[in-house]
C-alpha cells in the first residue's frame, strides 16, 4: 500500500551531490560513485511516479564540472550515454517524458543525437517530466535568455518575470516547489538560480547513492509541513482579526 503524502510538491529538483565522497568512503574510484548514483536515480524516478510528483529536475553535470580531471569528465559523458542506452525503453514504458536543460552543443555529437532521440521518443508521455540538467549553469541560462531577448528586439518595458521565464531552458515548466541537496553542502552551486527564488530547500548529509525511497519520502513529508509565505503572511495569520 502506498502511504499518502499530503501536499505533494508538483516539481522537485535535486542536486545529486556526494558521489565522490560515497566512493572514497568505500575505497572505490570516484567513477564507481557516479555509477552508484545513476542506479539510485532509477529508484527516485520510480518513487516520483508512485508519489505523484509531476516534474523532477536533476542536476547531473554543471557548467563548472568541466574543470574536473579529464578522466572523470569522460567517465561522466559515458555514463550519460550508457543510461540512455540501458534505461530509455523502461522510462518510456513508465510514461516518463525526457527533457534536457543546459547546452547540448559542447557534448560529443553522438551523445547529442542520443539525447535528442530520447526527447523525441518520449515527448507525448505525461506521468512524469524528467528534466536532465547536463552542462547546465544558472548564470549561463540567464545569459542565454538575455541574448535571445535582445535578438528578438523585445522592448524594455515588455521584459517581465513571465517573459524571462519563457526564455529560460525551463520554459513551460513550473518553478520547483522543493529543491533537495544531498551530501550536506549548504550552497546553490549555480542550480536554478532564477526558478528557485521561492523554492523550499531540504538538505541532508546522506550521499546521493544512499538517498533511497525512504529518505525521499522524509524530504517530501518535511516539505508538506512547510509554511510557504512568499513574502506575505501565513494562512493562520491572515485569518486572525487585524487590529490597526
Ligand atoms: C555529484 O557528486 C555528481 C557530479 C557533480 C557530477 P560529486 O562528484 O560532486 O561528489 P563529491 O561532492 O565530490 O562527493
Ligand atoms: C553540483 O555539485 C553539481 C552537480 C551535482 C551536478 P558540485 O559538487 O559540482 O558542486 P560544488 O563544487 O560542491 O559547489
Ligand atoms: Mg560535489
Amino acid at each position: 500500500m502506498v502511504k499518502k503524502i499530503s501536499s505533494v510538491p508538483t516539481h522537485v529538483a535535486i542536486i545529486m551531490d556526494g558521489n565522490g565522497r560515497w566512493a572514497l568512503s568505500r575505497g572505490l574510484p570516484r567513477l564507481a560513485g557516479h555509477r552508484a548514483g545513476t542506479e539510485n536515480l532509477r529508484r527516485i524516478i520510480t518513487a516520483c511516479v508512485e508519489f505523484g510528483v509531476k516534474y523532477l529536475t536533476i542536476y547531473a553535470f554543471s557548467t563548472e564540472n568541466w574543470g574536473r580531471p579529464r578522466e572523470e569528465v569522460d567517465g561522466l559523458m559515458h555514463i550519460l550515454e550508457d543510461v540512455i542506452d540501458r534505461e530509455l525503453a523502461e522510462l518510456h514504458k513508465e510514461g516518463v517524458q525526457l527533457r534536457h536543460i543546459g547546452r547540448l552543443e559542447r557534448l560529443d555529437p553522438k551523445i547529442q543525437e542520443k539525447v535528442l532521440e530520447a526527447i523525441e521518443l518520449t515527448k507525448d508521455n505525461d506521468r512524469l517530466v524528467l528534466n536532465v540538467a547536463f552542462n547546465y549553469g544558472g548564470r549561463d541560462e540567464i545569459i542565454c535568455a538575455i541574448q535571445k531577448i535582445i535578438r528578438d528586439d523585445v522592448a524594455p518595458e515588455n521584459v517581465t518575470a513571465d517573459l524571462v521565464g519563457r526564455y529560460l531552458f525551463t520554459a513551460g515548466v513550473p518553478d520547483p516547489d522543493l529543491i533537495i541537496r544531498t551530501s550536506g553542502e549548504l550552497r546553490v552551486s549555480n542550480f536554478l538560480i532564477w526558478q528557485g527564488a521561492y523554492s523550499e530547500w531540504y538538505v541532508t548529509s546522506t550521499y546521493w547513492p544512499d538517498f533511497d525511497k525512504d529518505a525521499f519520502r522524509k524530504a517530501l513529508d518535511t516539505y508538506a509541513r512547510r509554511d510557504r509565505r512568499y513574502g506575505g503572511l501565513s494562512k493562520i495569520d491572515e485569518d486572525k482579526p487585524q487590529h490597526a
Side-chain angles (χ1 to χ4, degrees):
M1 239 250 327
V2 180
K3 196 181 125 211
K4 200 171 171 327
I5 299 169
S6 60
S7 321
V8 174
T10 302
H11 182 176
V12 176
I14 307 183
I15 302 178
M16 310 184 293
D17 198 15
N19 293 348
R21 279 162 285 169
W22 180 91
L24 197 74
S25 71
R26 285 166 170 72
L28 298 169
R30 291 180 57 85
L31 275 175
H34 294 312
R35 294 223 170 259
T38 309
E39 295 301 315
N40 189 47
L41 181 56
R42 193 82 215 61
R43 296 208 288 259
I44 298 302
I45 292 170
T46 308
C48 281
V49 171
E50 185 180 326
F51 296 154
V53 171
K54 297 310 280 180
Y55 296 86
L56 172 66
T57 299
I58 48 157
Y59 205 7
F61 191 89
S62 77
T63 44
E64 288 71 38
N65 289 148
W66 292 106
R68 295 191 178 195
R70 173 85 196 268
E71 200 192 4
E72 182 165 346
V73 171
D74 286 351
L76 285 164
M77 297 296 151
H78 272 114
I79 288 175
L80 173 66
E81 209 183 338
D82 228 48
V83 169
I84 299 177
D85 287 344
R86 282 187 298 124
E87 306 279 352
L88 184 61
E90 190 55 34
L91 289 174
H92 185 40
K93 218 166 82 192
E94 271 191 57
V96 176
Q97 182 188 135
L98 263 155
R99 293 194 196 170
H100 169 258
I101 58 171
R103 293 204 203 220
L104 268 188
E105 307 94 85
R106 202 173 160 186
L107 308 187
D108 182 289
K110 204 171 88 203
I111 300 181
Q112 290 186 37
E113 207 175 297
K114 280 196 178 162
V115 173
L116 293 174
E117 275 171 21
I119 292 170
E120 179 59 29
L121 175 75
T122 61
K123 68 178 193 308
D124 296 323
N125 294 342
D126 60 3
R127 278 192 89 186
L128 173 74
V129 172
L130 175 64
N131 268 318
V132 182
F134 202 98
N135 193 17
Y136 171 87
R139 287 185 171 179
D140 184 51
E141 178 179 41
I142 292 170
I143 290 167
C144 217
I146 294 170
Q147 289 171 341
K148 282 188 256 169
I149 289 170
I150 293 172
R151 260 187 238 119
D152 283 356
D153 271 331
V154 177
E157 59 275 20
N158 290 335
V159 180
T160 60
D162 268 359
L163 179 120
V164 173
R166 290 198 296 275
Y167 276 88
L168 298 175
F169 298 137
T170 50
V173 173
D175 288 341
D177 300 294
L178 173 66
I179 300 179
I180 297 172
R181 182 163 190 154
T182 56
S183 93
E185 309 298 352
L186 298 175
R187 53 178 170 258
V188 178
S189 301
N190 208 6
F191 189 47
L192 302 177
I193 52 179
W194 174 279
Q195 301 87 336
Y198 267 102
S199 303
E200 295 295 322
W201 275 82
Y202 181 87
V203 176
T204 170
S205 57
T206 305
Y207 297 144
W208 170 249
D210 291 332
F211 186 79
D212 59 12
K213 185 176 162 188
D214 284 345
F216 185 53
R217 176 194 289 285
K218 201 169 142 211
L220 297 195
D221 282 344
T222 304
Y223 170 83
R225 291 193 300 274
R226 298 276 177 89
D227 180 16
R228 301 185 74 183
R229 293 190 290 281
Y230 300 95
L233 299 179
S234 76
K235 196 79 196 77
I236 302 158
D237 290 334
E238 274 175 4
D239 293 344
K240 273 189 206 151
Q242 300 291 306
H243 300 287

